[in-house]
Amino acid sequence: MTAARLIEAAKNSDVIILPELWSTGYYPVPVENFADKNGNRTKEFLCAAAKKFNVNIIGGSVIVESGGRFYNHCLVVNRRGEIAGEYTKTHLFSFAKENEVFRAGNTISVVELDGVKCGLAICYDLRFPEFIRKIALAGAEIIFIPAAWSLKRLTPRQILTKARAIENQVFIVFANSSGKSEIINPLGEILAESGRGEEILTAEINLHERTEIIGTMNLLADRNLNVD
């Protein structure tokens, strides 16, 4: 399995993130033929890998069936091989008829890994600034975004990752199955960017950098909501 091979190759990382719908590709139909019942297979695989390699894993997303409904769902596993959090894609991409296949999530998710607050979003969620802002307001220091974003829309995506990082003063880690994944700092600067093929992208995130930036200009604290 490609995911198993790549996780082992990246085992010396603190956090590994997989892309959106990594186990099936984006997205196979009919989804009921590919769905993971209650996410059980995915949990077993991710928990075993995280524990074996002592690494945190943001499990991209997979198709999960629960109660006869289908979800684009992300599982997060800590170093001990325990489920630390989960998230269901909130904004469904109507252009690809996701809204006709999947049930949307309705809650944000911020998970603590190694003492760091990590926010979760999936692909199309990136286009909605009010949603990403809620994640930042919940205390996220890094926002992890697994995606299957078409490179035909690469330019707006590259603008959006930088904008979301700058306006919320967070790190953005964008893992894309189509390539051109990115790791962005709170100033909107690219720390690392992948090519268009299969690749392990790595970067060191210095959270003190974020603290210094906020200490100079605290955007969230300076918001003035007293407007009509």
Side-chain angles (χ1 to χ4, degrees), residues 17-22 58-62 72-75 87 89 119-126 143-149 173-177 181:
I17 176 173
L18 300 174
E20 181 181 19
L21 300 185
W22 56 268
I58 309 287
S61 75
V62 297
N72 189 335
H73 194 68
C74 175
L75 292 167
Y87 167 69
K89 188 174 186 178
L120 303 172
I122 297 176
C123 200
Y124 193 44
D125 287 330
L126 177 68
I143 299 178
F144 290 90
I145 308 177
W149 196 294
V173 178
F174 188 93
N176 194 37
S177 62
S181 299

Side-chain angles (χ1 to χ4, degrees), residues 139-199:
E141 302 166 84
I142 306 170
I143 299 178
F144 290 90
I145 308 177
W149 196 294
S150 171
L151 295 185
K152 294 178 181 179
R153 294 179 285 276
L154 177 61
T155 297
R157 196 215 77 199
Q158 290 176 321
I159 294 170
L160 289 168
T161 49
K162 294 177 179 66
R164 298 294 92 90
I166 294 167
E167 67 197 8
N168 294 294
Q169 297 182 305
V170 296
F171 289 90
I172 297 286
V173 178
F174 188 93
N176 194 37
S177 62
S178 301
K180 303 301 284 184
S181 299
E182 296 176 309
I183 302 173
I184 310 290
N185 74 9
L187 293 176
E189 299 167 340
I190 299 174
L191 300 181
E193 181 181 37
S194 75
R196 293 173 179 250
E198 180 184 295
E199 183 178 341

Side-chain angles (χ1 to χ4, degrees), residues 3-219:
R5 173 174 56 82
L6 293 176
I7 288 172
E8 182 170 11
K11 64 185 178 182
N12 293 324
S13 305
D14 289 315
V15 181
I16 294 172
I17 176 173
L18 300 174
E20 181 181 19
L21 300 185
W22 56 268
S23 63
T24 59
Y26 181 87
Y27 61 87
V29 292
V31 295
E32 54 265 31
N33 291 346
F34 301 88
D36 184 0
K37 180 72 172 180
N38 296 318
N40 291 332
R41 292 195 311 273
T42 304
K43 290 175 185 176
E44 182 179 359
F45 168 69
L46 293 177
C47 289
K51 186 174 183 179
K52 177 179 180 180
F53 298 118
N54 187 35
V55 64
N56 300 296
I57 301 177
I58 309 287
S61 75
V62 297
I63 300 169
V64 168
E65 185 271 318
S66 179
R69 294 171 176 169
F70 301 94
Y71 302 87
N72 189 335
H73 194 68
C74 175
L75 292 167
V76 180
V77 183
N78 64 24
R79 296 179 185 273
R80 296 183 296 277
E82 303 164 338
I83 300 296
E86 48 194 298
Y87 167 69
T88 296
K89 188 174 186 178
T90 301
H91 298 91
L92 299 178
F93 191 35
S94 60
F95 180 80
K97 302 186 186 305
E98 283 186 354
N99 56 314
E100 298 178 11
V101 175
F102 297 104
R103 177 61 62 98
N106 57 12
T107 59
I108 64 168
S109 181
V110 176
V111 179
E112 191 166 306
L113 297 174
D114 296 344
V116 178
K117 291 186 177 181
C118 303
L120 303 172
I122 297 176
C123 200
Y124 193 44
D125 287 330
L126 177 68
R127 286 188 179 268
F128 299 88
E130 67 279 7
F131 177 74
I132 303 298
R133 173 56 54 86
K134 284 184 177 181
I135 298 172
L137 289 172
E141 302 166 84
I142 306 170
I143 299 178
F144 290 90
I145 308 177
W149 196 294
S150 171
L151 295 185
K152 294 178 181 179
R153 294 179 285 276
L154 177 61
T155 297
R157 196 215 77 199
Q158 290 176 321
I159 294 170
L160 289 168
T161 49
K162 294 177 179 66
R164 298 294 92 90
I166 294 167
E167 67 197 8
N168 294 294
Q169 297 182 305
V170 296
F171 289 90
I172 297 286
V173 178
F174 188 93
N176 194 37
S177 62
S178 301
K180 303 301 284 184
S181 299
E182 296 176 309
I183 302 173
I184 310 290
N185 74 9
L187 293 176
E189 299 167 340
I190 299 174
L191 300 181
E193 181 181 37
S194 75
R196 293 173 179 250
E198 180 184 295
E199 183 178 341
I200 295 175
L201 180 67
T202 63
E204 182 173 331
I205 289 178
N206 182 358
L207 291 171
H208 294 296
E209 178 184 4
R210 177 175 180 269
T211 301
E212 292 174 358
I213 292 168
I214 292 174
T216 302
M217 184 189 302
N218 191 329
L219 298 182

